[in-house]
Amino acid sequence: MSERINILKTYKIYIGGSFPRTESGRFYNPINSKKASLGNFCLSSRKDFRNAVVAARKAFGDWSDRTAYNRSQILYRMAEVLEGRRDQFIAELILQDSSKKEAEKEVNLSIDRLVYFAGWCDKYQQIFSSVNPVASSHFNFSALEPTGVVAIVANQESSLLGLVSYMAPIIAGGNTCVILASENKPFCAISFAEVLNASDLPGGVVNILTGKKPELLSQMASHMDVNALCYSDAIQEELIQIRELSIDNLKRVRSYKYDLSLTDVEHPYIINDYQEVKTTWHPIEVIGASKSAY
Amino acid sequence: MSKKKIETEKISWEYAAAPESASHIDIKEKYDHFIDGKFEKPSSGKYFDSINPATEQKIASIAEGNSKDVEKAVIAARNAYDNVWLVMPASERAKYLFRIARLIQEKAREFAVIESLDGGKPIRESRDIDIPLAAAHFFYYAGWADKLEYAFPNRKPTALGVVGQIIPWNFPLLMAAWKIAPALACGNTVVLKPAETTSLTALKLAELIQESGLPDGVVNIITGDGKVGAEIVGHKGIDKIAFTGSTEVGKIIQKTVARTEKKVTLELGGKAANIVFEDAPIDQAVEGIINGIYFNQGHVCCAGSRLFVQESIKEIFIKKLKDRMETLIIGNPLDKNTDIGAINSKSQLETIQGYIDLGKREGFELFQSSCKLPKEGYFIKPTLFSDVAQSSRLAKEEIFGPVLAVQTFRTVDEVIEKANNTPYGLSAGVWTDKGSKIFNLTSRLRAGVVWANTYNKFDPTSPFGGYKESGFGREGGIHGLSAYLKFD
Amino acid sequence: MKLKKSLIIPDFTKSPSIDQVGIIERATRFQTRSIKNESKIQALKMVLSMIDLTTLEGKDTIGKVNQMCYKAQHLHDEYAGLPTVAAVCVYPSMVGIAKAAVKGSGVKVASVSTAFPSGQAPLSTKLDDTKFALDQGADEIDMVISRGKYHQGEYNFVFDEIAEIKALCGAQARLKVILETGEIGTLDDVRRASDIAIYAGADFIKTSTGKIGSAASIPVTLTMLYAIKDYYHKTGNMIGMKPAGGISTSKLAIHYLVMVKEILGDAWLSNKWFRFGASSLANDVLLQLEKQRTGNYQSKDYISID
């Protein structure tokens, strides 16, 4: 009797809640340090990025209009689903060169981080909003609104945690995003897309591409319909390139140097980084003012 | 017995001239840079003229800065930061700011007159708005100096260092206050460059700062044109750039600092939609539209330059607008009855005129009030174009002058879409009597400031700043602090 | 002549809403107008000519009314070229006295009526009250509206009452309708009551009786001027305005004129279309005029009381 033949998985990208192949038809085959193949991954093109931004923009209205409570539950649901797939992610991380201990820690931290930011969804507004005591008869308040579509250049080293740590605060705040997964460790990113897809997250809120950072970085930074960009690698030249290309539409560029294995990244200020402050004025009728001594 | 009957007499009652006295103000013939607590001659030895735009007469000579002057100012600011300002208890820093606020109040009338002389804005506005608000900004941020940790729970805020600030000509002293007050409260020192056409009140502020006893070098003021601004932006010794001005220049600044770790806040242009529904308090809406576009000759980044009026009330609303425009008094900025003063400079006059000519060429219906303009000086009649197309440059570009582009709409969705259909996002206005409609609009308009049933209101406690290409960062209120702090 | 358009009575529940803060802001702007020199003198004389010199007291006597009527025609004879006031305003019982006292001077006699100041009487009484005043020769009738009915939402009742009084006045007397804005409530109500009065046939709308604490103010008057302006836009017909009570200084009176000029235009700047209901304003104006003439600040001892 012959041995059973394994079913090899085709890894596709995640755009607008579906899993298309790259329109370019290209793929690449990252390997780990033991020269083992991680599989065939889509080598996403500029057009894939463009399509992903369209999907993210389309999803933005609905996602930012959802109640904070609903967003909170969906982020928590992601944690639940990820928890259920712990073993799969640990195995994938090990294949991507982590030790078993490191892999377990990364998955645990990723789950915990989703829970952490799930809890912020309906609270950060209260931290950062204000009622402003203006010196006239107006009610004046400042509240936060999500910046819009955010491009995330996922951390290259930490393929699951790096993605989750920045995605979570960005979507917790009502933004939608397009993530470029770690070039050399794309495995977990695509598996994570399946987690997202199983978590009641509306299609298009998170879009994940795999491919070569040098090919896509300039697209991400220069796209006029991307409102902000999140960068967490430590390559100064890339950051400068991003800043320069972001100028045309005054994209908000945020860069971080957190050690993600620590909880330093866990704070609401990172949510605030992808929010715009809107201040609203309205007159307050003054009782008795019509009788004032004119 | 004298018995007169005057009820049939034809009445024509005109207001006599009521000029604010300029006799109590003190303007020197020549102004130098303010560096390290002293007035210093420009190293170029050169001066340029500051012109009164209402008379085209020279008011004073202003020092022309260059890289050497900027260098001196940055060194002074750095020394003051390291040796004095950083080590001073925050509560003491606060006292200096309170003192500056008080001194501005004391000299308010002098500042107001100079502001109107130098910039062309009506004395009523400089007296009632610019100067009191400038003092209020210092007073508000003074109190923050020793309370910063309460603004940022769980974080340790610290000053950035030396801040370079470049301000525009539309609200000269007020913009200086918007910039200097929070920077100093947060513990930074400052190199400020006022706009070239309106340096005078900043230099008067320098005199006032000297009088306040603020340690030397904490505030330095270098005058000159865009080249001086570029020197400040490019200077390695500066940790942060705060800029208010055009989107075009903002992008150049952003480009310059992209290769550095300088922090930047930009408060740039706008093309605000002011939206009037049929159920609005109509006559107050008319006032709001007028105030939205003709305040400060339209030289306002948040000017309500696009009027969207619901089609059902278009006719009466535009009629009322025109009636109101006819009552605006245009002329001598120093006359207490002047509503609209002089355009700030000849080049701005030409820019605005260019847009008016464009509107005429494109065939939009033009209305200008029938007032007479003074023979000298840079003046433009308040202007309205109706039935402007959304795709016209008149409806897309920031004119920065008293020119209103009127469009109509039918439904809420349509007007939100049109209002947001711009790369800018600084401000917006909504006029309706219905609360739920207000909140729908205020939450869906992509703009940093939304005025509902009011317009062009400012307050030191109220954050101001834009979405999209209108810039980033906020000025004013608790949100204005983070622009001048870093966090460990 | 402009053709009068046929009049459609609007739904008064839908009178335009008023933003009070916006009204106050606009009102404040009038008060920043600086009126100097010859335009001030012109304004002061205009104010005098627009005054309805008023006595409305339970203790009014023939003597008091006669004194006031003399003053109405001789404000300050030391100052040549002063106008008379526009009218004297009295209770119906004094109309005959006043009429005789101002005969031939051009000064009008206005009579309050309709159970002034409360208006709490049946329509028949109000009609009798008015008819008496008219029979005595009143040139103008200052009626009050039924504020109680207004607050009960019975706008038609209020409207009909005004229309009845208007019919009675006919061609003899111009009708001023007092809203008593201090009892009417918010500026939205002031606007609605103005609309009711105007459409029911008022020749003038008037703020107050002067009998309650809250009388005319610039914001209230501004709200009423907007109602007049809107009616003019719709029909081409002019309606007059009379703020009454609480206007006692020249400076404030001039700010009212500024407001009338900038909201309604020069056409309203005569006593045909604008009046001040006031008792002590005239003397303050006289003090100011003397100050302008002589350059010295004045003493009240040099101006006759009432």
Side-chain angles (χ1 to χ4, degrees):
Chain A
M1 227 166 71
S2 63
E3 231 176 90
R4 180 176 178 276
I5 296 179
N6 286 339
I7 305 295
L8 287 179
K9 190 164 174 180
T10 308
Y11 295 100
K12 297 194 277 190
I13 51 181
Y14 186 53
I15 296 177
S18 23
F19 291 90
R21 287 193 173 84
T22 166
E23 66 78 39
S24 70
R26 302 177 307 162
F27 67 91
Y28 72 117
N29 192 338
I31 51 172
N32 67 14
S33 59
K34 290 168 193 139
K35 312 275 186 217
S37 167
L38 302 181
N40 287 329
F41 287 86
C42 291
L43 195 55
S44 303
S45 67
R46 304 158 56 141
K47 279 191 182 169
D48 293 320
F49 179 71
R50 181 199 64 189
N51 294 342
V53 171
V54 169
R57 176 61 63 195
K58 198 173 162 206
F60 176 67
D62 172 57
W63 183 241
S64 56
D65 273 356
R66 296 264 177 140
T67 64
Y69 179 40
N70 181 251
R71 286 205 303 270
S72 183
Q73 290 184 101
I74 290 172
L75 260 82
Y76 187 75
R77 178 77 183 150
M78 285 177 201
E80 288 178 340
V81 177
L82 186 56
E83 180 82 43
R85 298 195 189 186
R86 281 175 57 85
D87 295 346
Q88 176 196 343
F89 277 89
I90 290 168
E92 285 174 1
L93 284 166
I94 291 171
L95 189 61
Q96 288 181 158
D97 290 334
S98 295
S99 69
K100 183 157 191 291
K101 204 175 159 195
E102 285 167 351
E104 280 175 348
K105 188 182 177 195
E106 181 162 354
V107 173
N108 289 346
L109 275 171
S110 299
I111 295 165
D112 293 352
R113 206 143 283 169
L114 283 169
V115 172
Y116 178 80
F117 282 109
W120 267 120
C121 289
D122 50 6
K123 296 169 191 69
Y124 68 89
Q125 296 89 340
Q126 290 172 311
I127 305 284
F128 297 113
S129 296
S130 62
V131 172
N132 310 309
V134 296
S136 57
S137 190
H138 293 91
F139 187 71
N140 176 299
F141 61 96
S142 297
L144 299 187
E145 285 186 352
T147 297
V149 174
V150 183
I152 304 176
V153 184
N155 188 283
Q156 292 296 303
E157 295 313 311
S158 176
S159 77
L160 177 66
L161 186 59
L163 187 154
V164 168
S165 296
Y166 296 110
M167 178 208 77
I170 285 167
I171 65 170
N175 299 283
T176 59
C177 62
V178 179
I179 303 172
L180 176 61
S182 167
E183 181 178 328
N184 297 319
K185 300 175 175 180
F187 211 154
C188 293
I190 293 307
S191 298
F192 188 71
E194 292 165 6
V195 170
L196 297 174
N197 207 41
S199 306
D200 305 325
L201 185 75
V205 173
V206 176
N207 305 276
I208 302 178
L209 306 179
T210 53
K212 305 264 183 202
K213 190 160 63 157
E215 278 186 16
L216 288 172
L217 202 59
S218 65
Q219 289 308 307
M220 297 175 84
S222 62
H223 196 300
M224 293 296 277
D225 204 29
V226 172
N227 302 102
L229 191 145
C230 166
Y231 180 81
S232 58
D233 287 331
I235 304 167
Q236 193 61 14
E237 271 315 302
E238 279 185 356
L239 185 55
I240 290 169
Q241 185 196 0
I242 289 168
R243 283 186 187 146
E244 286 180 343
L245 290 169
S246 293
I247 291 167
D248 269 343
N249 70 337
L250 291 186
K251 218 173 259 99
R252 283 76 168 125
V253 176
R254 314 291 182 198
S255 68
Y256 305 99
K257 290 172 181 161
Y258 289 109
D259 178 348
L260 297 174
S261 65
L262 305 173
T263 55
D264 294 12
V265 73
E266 293 183 356
H267 57 72
Y269 294 96
I270 202 163
I271 303 176
N272 195 35
D273 281 348
Y274 302 90
Q275 301 290 316
E276 303 289 326
V277 178
K278 175 182 278 180
T279 300
T280 304
W281 295 68
H282 196 280
I284 304 172
E285 192 163 278
V286 190
I287 306 297
S290 57
K291 300 170 189 170
S292 65
Y294 277 107
Chain B
M1 206 191 215
S2 71
K3 287 171 186 167
K4 280 153 257 76
K5 203 176 169 191
I6 76 149
E7 69 171 16
T8 50
E9 223 173 77
K10 170 80 184 140
I11 307 275
S12 170
W13 181 43
E14 300 301 333
Y15 308 148
E20 176 68 45
S21 163
S23 61
H24 58 297
I25 64 158
D26 170 28
I27 301 180
K28 291 188 279 194
E29 271 177 32
K30 198 192 253 187
Y31 280 94
D32 294 318
H33 300 312
F34 182 62
I35 301 173
D36 206 15
K38 291 167 279 296
F39 285 93
E40 297 241 355
K41 294 201 179 324
S43 50
S44 66
K46 287 188 209 156
Y47 293 83
F48 61 92
D49 294 346
S50 198
I51 304 290
N52 177 344
T55 61
E56 302 174 48
Q57 304 292 312
K58 176 182 168 180
I59 308 172
S61 298
I62 310 286
E64 192 177 307
N66 63 17
S67 59
K68 283 182 193 157
D69 301 321
V70 172
E71 178 70 24
K72 273 200 225 167
V74 174
I75 290 170
R78 177 61 60 188
N79 281 337
Y81 177 72
D82 289 338
N83 304 322
V84 185
W85 204 237
L86 186 63
V87 291
M88 184 185 288
S91 55
E92 298 297 300
R93 286 205 311 263
K95 287 184 193 166
Y96 282 112
L97 291 175
F98 280 124
R99 196 185 277 178
I100 291 169
R102 275 293 198 239
L103 284 170
I104 293 174
Q105 288 173 332
E106 282 171 19
K107 294 169 189 249
R109 195 52 62 96
E110 187 183 16
F111 272 105
V113 172
I114 296 176
E115 202 74 297
S116 287
L117 273 176
D118 197 24
K121 66 172 58 202
I123 186 76
R124 183 184 59 77
E125 290 177 6
S126 45
R127 180 194 66 203
D128 296 348
I129 298 166
D130 289 62
I131 310 304
L133 267 181
H137 262 86
F138 275 103
F139 206 87
Y140 174 76
Y141 278 110
W144 268 123
D146 55 358
K147 302 169 189 69
L148 296 171
E149 59 271 32
Y150 296 98
F152 304 95
N154 246 5
R155 287 191 130 183
K156 280 204 194 78
T158 47
L160 296 168
V162 177
V163 178
Q165 306 181 316
I166 299 163
I167 57 171
W169 44 260
N170 55 345
F171 296 92
L173 183 73
L174 181 57
M175 288 300 115
W178 275 35
K179 294 279 183 289
I180 294 173
L184 263 48
C186 292
N188 305 279
T189 57
V190 162
V191 176
L192 175 113
K193 188 195 89 66
E196 138 192 48
T197 58
T198 55
S199 311
L200 278 178
T201 45
L203 294 162
K204 291 299 284 186
L205 179 66
E207 292 177 359
L208 182 151
I209 283 171
Q210 249 182 350
E211 188 184 335
S212 76
L214 186 78
D216 293 348
V218 172
V219 172
N220 304 275
I221 296 173
I222 305 289
T223 47
D225 59 12
K227 292 196 285 291
V228 182
E231 291 292 343
I232 292 174
V233 171
H235 197 287
K236 287 193 170 59
I238 284 179
D239 302 292
K240 190 231 158 73
I241 297 295
F243 171 78
T244 296
S246 71
T247 295
E248 188 191 352
V249 175
K251 288 180 179 179
I252 294 170
I253 289 174
Q254 186 72 348
K255 187 140 198 119
T256 310
V257 300
R259 297 198 151 264
T260 71
E261 291 307 310
K262 279 195 184 99
K263 279 184 79 171
V264 182
T265 43
L266 303 172
E267 203 270 271
L268 308 176
K271 189 76 185 176
N274 212 345
I275 302 167
V276 182
F277 287 93
E278 61 182 5
D279 61 353
I282 297 293
D283 292 303
Q284 289 76 66
V286 169
E287 281 306 307
I289 302 304
I290 293 286
N291 180 40
I293 185 63
Y294 303 126
F295 172 57
N296 201 30
Q297 297 74 248
H299 302 328
V300 186
C301 46
C302 53
S305 48
R306 290 186 293 156
L307 165 62
F308 288 96
V309 58
Q310 195 159 15
E311 213 153 310
S312 54
I313 54 163
K314 175 194 162 190
E315 216 171 300
I316 183 69
F317 196 82
I318 290 180
K319 182 165 179 36
K320 280 169 177 265
L321 268 182
K322 291 176 178 175
D323 279 0
R324 180 68 177 100
M325 286 165 74
E326 288 290 358
T327 64
L328 294 170
I329 299 172
I330 294 92
N332 179 8
L334 282 183
D335 191 304
K336 288 177 238 175
N337 291 328
T338 293
D339 296 310
I340 298 183
I343 301 299
N344 187 265
S345 65
K346 190 157 188 254
S347 72
Q348 188 59 25
L349 183 82
E350 283 160 3
T351 304
I352 298 165
Q353 198 56 56
Y355 279 104
I356 294 175
D357 294 342
L358 172 79
K360 286 182 189 163
R361 279 202 307 278
E362 292 190 351
F364 303 125
E365 195 196 317
L366 166 78
F367 176 81
Q368 291 184 306
S369 73
S370 60
C371 61
K372 280 207 192 84
L373 297 184
K375 286 199 186 74
E376 282 169 346
Y378 315 134
F379 291 92
I380 279 190
K381 290 179 178 180
T383 301
L384 174 157
F385 282 102
S386 38
D387 295 318
V388 172
Q390 175 86 358
S391 53
S392 160
R393 282 177 55 205
L394 230 46
K396 290 198 288 197
E397 296 176 8
E398 183 176 40
I399 297 172
F400 225 63
V403 181
L404 180 66
V406 183
Q407 296 176 255
T408 58
F409 69 94
R410 294 153 300 174
T411 66
V412 174
D413 282 341
E414 178 189 5
V415 76
I416 291 173
E417 203 179 345
K418 280 184 172 169
N420 285 339
N421 178 212
T422 165
Y424 293 115
L426 187 53
S427 60
V430 182
W431 299 83
T432 166
D433 205 34
K434 189 169 178 182
S436 59
K437 200 192 293 174
I438 287 175
F439 285 113
N440 180 26
L441 268 104
T442 56
S443 58
R444 287 170 69 191
L445 290 167
R446 302 286 289 165
V449 183
V450 181
W451 285 290
N453 291 325
T454 185
Y455 206 89
N456 268 349
K457 293 283 178 293
F458 309 94
D459 194 279
T461 68
S462 175
F464 185 90
Y467 286 29
K468 301 196 279 187
E469 287 196 29
S470 289
F472 39 71
R474 292 291 176 271
E475 293 183 291
I478 190 172
H479 298 86
L481 292 170
S482 52
Y484 291 103
L485 293 166
K486 61 177 184 288
F487 304 93
D488 301 334
Chain C
M1 267 299 278
K2 213 169 189 174
L3 271 177
K4 288 187 180 178
K5 294 173 194 164
S6 66
L7 189 62
I8 297 163
I9 307 298
D11 176 353
F12 295 116
T13 62
K14 292 188 176 130
S15 271
S17 66
I18 305 293
D19 182 70
Q20 185 212 28
V21 174
I23 284 278
I24 291 172
E25 271 173 27
R26 182 76 181 104
T28 309
R29 282 286 292 273
F30 301 123
Q31 301 196 298
T32 63
R33 290 284 190 227
S34 176
I35 307 301
K36 300 270 184 226
N37 306 328
E38 64 274 23
S39 58
K40 183 168 182 182
I41 294 169
Q42 197 187 352
L44 290 169
K45 288 182 180 173
M46 211 183 326
V47 170
L48 288 178
S49 77
M50 289 169 166
I51 289 174
D52 281 5
L53 205 57
T54 302
T55 183
L56 293 168
E57 292 177 355
K59 64 176 191 277
D60 283 348
T61 56
I62 294 170
K64 161 77 186 172
V65 170
N66 273 330
Q67 291 226 342
M68 184 181 76
C69 289
Y70 187 85
K71 171 91 172 182
Q73 303 160 73
H74 305 269
L75 283 167
H76 191 55
D77 287 343
E78 295 85 333
Y79 192 118
L82 286 185
T84 66
V85 299
V88 290
C89 182
V90 295
Y91 271 114
S93 55
M94 292 294 165
V95 169
I97 307 295
K99 192 72 186 168
V102 299
K103 193 160 186 269
S105 68
V107 174
K108 302 274 201 281
V109 174
S111 172
V112 296
S113 84
T114 67
F116 180 92
S118 75
Q120 295 283 17
L123 178 60
S124 57
T125 308
K126 293 181 180 181
L127 288 169
D128 286 348
D129 196 20
T130 309
K131 191 161 183 306
F132 177 79
L134 290 169
D135 288 348
Q136 294 287 305
D139 304 299
E140 297 171 356
I141 295 293
D142 288 26
M143 72 171 285
V144 291
I145 66 165
S146 295
R147 282 89 73 190
K149 292 288 186 186
Y150 175 89
H151 284 301
Q152 284 166 223
E154 295 178 44
Y155 304 145
N156 287 346
F157 181 96
V158 176
F159 181 97
D160 291 345
E161 220 176 43
I162 299 167
E164 295 253 16
I165 302 291
K166 171 68 179 174
L168 203 57
C169 290
Q172 178 187 333
R174 294 178 81 202
L175 177 64
K176 305 197 196 95
V177 178
I178 303 169
L179 309 180
E180 193 66 312
T181 55
E183 288 187 354
I184 278 291
T186 65
L187 294 180
D188 294 299
D189 292 304
V190 169
R191 170 64 198 235
R192 180 178 298 127
S194 300
D195 285 346
I196 293 170
I198 290 171
Y199 281 92
D203 296 301
F204 265 83
I205 50 177
K206 175 175 168 186
T207 58
S208 325
T209 60
K211 294 294 174 196
I212 62 165
S214 163
S217 71
I218 289 207
V220 161
T221 306
L222 176 57
T223 304
M224 294 167 74
L225 292 182
Y226 280 133
I228 291 171
K229 176 94 175 180
D230 281 343
Y231 185 73
Y232 180 71
H233 275 319
K234 262 198 191 118
T235 65
N237 296 333
M238 290 168 75
I239 303 292
M241 174 71 210
K242 178 178 172 185
I247 305 163
S248 56
T249 69
S250 307
K251 193 173 179 186
L252 183 55
I254 290 174
H255 288 142
Y256 274 88
L257 295 187
V258 167
M259 173 164 63
V260 171
K261 175 181 170 66
E262 296 194 14
I263 297 297
L264 297 177
D266 285 344
W268 265 264
L269 282 181
S270 83
N271 62 11
K272 189 173 180 196
W273 301 112
F274 191 76
R275 297 281 179 84
F276 291 103
S279 47
S280 60
L281 173 62
N283 275 0
D284 190 68
V285 173
L286 294 170
L287 285 172
Q288 292 301 318
L289 277 170
E290 283 293 4
K291 153 77 176 57
Q292 291 289 321
R293 189 168 67 120
T294 63
N296 302 326
Y297 288 102
Q298 297 295 306
S299 159
K300 285 180 181 172
D301 288 353
Y302 296 85
I303 307 284
S304 67
I305 51 173
D306 73 23

